[in-house]
């Protein structure tokens, strides 16, 4: 599949995964990859302190849409936050509550009401995302979703509120968000994991849960932090100064063992979750920064290139 | 210098805290195992253990009560998996004036929502369970794993979640008539709630009011309980251990965590860095890389494997140094190497325990 097709398949991509698997890095790399194809990619952070802005060499993101970097192709990566409280105030403003919105926040009443209406905050965040998606101001919107368990709650919010609020503005909003999530031409979810037992388990569980309860289209599984394969690490070490032999042996053994674990987990993932995989390499020789994201973006593009034509979203069933 | 396991000499409560995916649960279980090996009766409160570790600890169901892990040790190892909702329910039952009041609250939809979904509830209940077990004379050592969060205050602040609600303007307004406060307050509240009802539905607002009314009389019990929990956490009995991985971003988050804890007057007593890449004393990354480039075939692979790990290991050392520089000199530290396989049995926990020093 060529990247053009992939990035045109749906305007909204939601990136989700367990804490510590590099979900934010993947979201940034995906946006960066899209920017390399001349697209305007908008990164949306829905929880605080993801560090996504600094990762791309800019400032922490704010509610204002800002350009984080531009690509020679004419594409760009932009970024903004949509925090629940901001989304709630926006929504109240749009629904004739402008005058009291501020007071609701200051008195803490809003917190109570939002608490009493589970999913309200998440719904309004997604409602705001839907607004941006409909506006078409960006070619690709990449949402850095909450960590996996919360991602399910996040994406189920619309369904829950659609069922509980039978009529009125909340019901309508939920309906519109559900329509967006369930439409493969508008939305796909990319799940991120490391090639280790627990993250892979969580990825599989989340995938089936999202399929069954949200009806969202799953894109390829992104496996982050993979060790590239090195041939010939068994047997005796090569000729080396005596002092280095033990270090060589230790490194080779650990690399062999970790790669073995990794391949076993990837095989299990392929077995239990029939979607294609995109592997992103572990970065040994530097911290995550804008350059590293650009390198990862190339791996994302290569991974997309290796997908079969039908990919970019398949059923997990 | 103190070691992580040395913290057990002076503290009977160990709180393992840190962001997600850094090995908090495993660390907590290994610390509790150390307690059992020392002859203590140790209990570990886990939040969301990986399936195979849960199996190893005998946590196959949500009992919300500690169950004993059977293995041979001078002491005892107990484990429980936190059930947030049940813990909250038990707290309500304890502080309700009578069964009727407890039932009115437990059946209330607003209560059901906050006890399951209010942000901070899981943290609050972890602390609540800790407090409950601290008063249980079956145990000498309590180790608690905390929910993954980017914000340490989420959980220091957790016991305030409920009390803040009682201090809320809406609550006061709703409860005003029975307290003889000004009628005008009530009227303003009614106007506001009518408007809210239009948006979120009358049921939501009615449920909230019914909840507050049902809760009347229990606020003081809850507040004083919350204060006791906080006092226990801040006392010398408790030691906070910050768990991190050596990655640049998680080290940054660990520093942020430590700063927040210190602002809350809670000292970090220990730092555990998990998943350290192997550091080679015989060669630096640059030289290994050069050798990899000059070599060919399988020799190139061997040097590459060494160069890769060494490049990461060198950076990890720098990151950890910046974290430790910001800490008091007497903080206990442990650097746990990346293991050849995942930890999912008592044998694996023993290995971690020995690496904690």
């Amino acid at each position: 599949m060529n990247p053009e097709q992939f990035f045109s398949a749906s305007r909204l991509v939601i990136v989700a995964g367990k804490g510590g698997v590099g979900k934010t890095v993947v979201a940034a790399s995906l946006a960066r990859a899209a920017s390399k194809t001349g697209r305007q990619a908008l990164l949306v952070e829905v929880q605080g302190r993801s560090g996504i802005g600094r990762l791309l060499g800019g400032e922490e993101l704010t509610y204002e849409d800002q350009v984080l970097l531009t690509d020679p192709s004419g594409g760009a990566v932009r970024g903004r936050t949509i925090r629940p409280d901001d989304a709630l105030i926006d929504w109240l403003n749009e629904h004739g509550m402008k005058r009291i919105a501020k007071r609701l926040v200051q008195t803490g009443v809003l917190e109570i009401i939002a608490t009493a209406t589970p999913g309200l905050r998440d719904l309004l965040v997604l409602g705001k995302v839907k607004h941006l998606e409909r506006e078409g101001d960006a070619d690709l919107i990449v949402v850095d979703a909450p960590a996996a368990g919360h991602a399910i709650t996040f994406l189920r919010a619309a369904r829950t509120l659609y069922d509980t609020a039978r009529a009125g503005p909340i019901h309508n909003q939920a309906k519109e968000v559900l329509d967006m999530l369930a439409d493969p031409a508008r939305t796909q979810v990319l799940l991120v994991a490391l090639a280790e037992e627990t993250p892979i388990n969580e990825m599989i569980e989340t995938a089936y849960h999202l399929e069954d309860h949200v009806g969202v289209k799953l894109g390829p599984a992104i496996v982050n932090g993979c060790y590239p394969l090195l041939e010939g690490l068994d047997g005796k070490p090569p000729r080396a100064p005596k002092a280095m032999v033990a270090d060589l042996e230790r490194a080779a053994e650990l690399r062999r063992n970790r790669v073995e674990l990794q391949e076993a987990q990837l095989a299990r993932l392929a077995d239990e979750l029939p979607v294609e995989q995109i592997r992103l390499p572990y970065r040994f020789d530097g911290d995550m920064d804008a350059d590293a994201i650009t390198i990862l973006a190339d791996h994302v593009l290569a991974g997309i290139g290796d997908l079969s034509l039908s990919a970019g979203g398949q059923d997990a069933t | 210098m103190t070691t992580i396991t040395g913290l057990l000499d002076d503290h009977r409560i160990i709180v393992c805290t840190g962001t997600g995916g850094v090995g908090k649960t495993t660390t907590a279980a290994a610390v509790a195992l150390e307690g059992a090996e020392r002859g203590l009766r140790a209990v570990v409160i886990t939040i969301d253990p990986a399936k195979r570790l849960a199996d190893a600890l005998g946590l196959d169901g949500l009992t919300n009560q500690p169950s004993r892990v059977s293995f041979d040790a001078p002491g005892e190892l107990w484990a429980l998996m936190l059930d947030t909702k049940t813990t909250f329910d038990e707290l309500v039952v304890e502080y309700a004036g009578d069964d009727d009041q407890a039932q009115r609250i437990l059946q209330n939809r607003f209560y059901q929502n906050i006890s399951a979904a209010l942000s901070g509830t899981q943290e609050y209940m972890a602390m609540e369970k800790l407090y409950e077990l601290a008063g249980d004379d079956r145990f000498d050592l309590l180790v608690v794993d905390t929910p993954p969060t980017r914000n340490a205050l989420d959980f220091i602040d957790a016991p305030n979640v409920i009390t803040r609600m009682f201090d809320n303007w809406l609550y006061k307004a709703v409860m005003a008539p029975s307290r003889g406060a000004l009628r005008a307050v009530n009227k303003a509240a009614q106007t506001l709630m009518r408007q809210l009802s239009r948006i979120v539905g009358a049921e939501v607002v009615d449920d909230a009011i019914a909840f507050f009314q049902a809760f009347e009389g229990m606020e003081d019990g809850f507040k004083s309980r919350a204060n006791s929990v906080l006092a226990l956490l801040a006392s010398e009995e408790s030691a906070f251990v910050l768990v991190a991985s050596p990655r640049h971003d998680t080290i940054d988050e660990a520093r942020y965590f430590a700063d927040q804890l210190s602002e809350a007057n809670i000292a970090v007593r220990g730092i555990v860095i998990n998943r350290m890449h192997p550091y080679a004393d015989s060669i630096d990354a640059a030289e290994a890389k050069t050798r990899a480039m000059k070599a060919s075939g399988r020799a190139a692979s061997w040097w590459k494997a060494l160069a890769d790990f060494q490049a990461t290991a060198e950076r990890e050392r720098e990151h950890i140094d910046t974290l430790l520089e910001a800490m008091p000199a007497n903080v206990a530290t442990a650097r746990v190497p990346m293991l050849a396989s995942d930890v999912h049995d008592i044998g694996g926990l023993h290995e971690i325990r020995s690496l904690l020093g």
Side-chain angles (χ1 to χ4, degrees), chain A residues 11 40 42 65 78 132-139 141:
Chain A
R11 176 168 287 157
Q40 292 282 315
L42 176 64
D65 183 338
R78 304 187 336 228
L132 298 175
E133 187 252 358
R134 284 277 90 151
E135 260 181 356
D137 178 38
D139 302 312
I141 299 171

Side-chain angles (χ1 to χ4, degrees), chain B residues 34-55:
Chain B
E34 166 70 16
E37 289 296 334
R38 290 175 170 220
L40 297 171
R41 296 167 302 161
V43 58
V44 57
I45 303 170
T46 68
I47 303 295
D48 188 16
K51 177 106 183 33
R52 282 169 70 172
L53 181 62
D55 290 346

Side-chain angles (χ1 to χ4, degrees), chain A residues 13-55:
Chain A
V13 176
I14 297 170
V15 179
K18 182 177 154 49
V21 301
K23 179 174 60 66
T24 299
V25 164
V26 170
S29 307
L30 191 69
R32 182 72 184 94
S35 78
K36 287 183 159 221
T37 66
R39 287 178 165 73
Q40 292 282 315
L42 176 64
L43 268 169
V44 175
E45 176 194 287
V46 298
Q47 276 186 324
R49 283 185 55 79
S50 77
I52 212 166
R54 276 180 304 148
L55 199 56

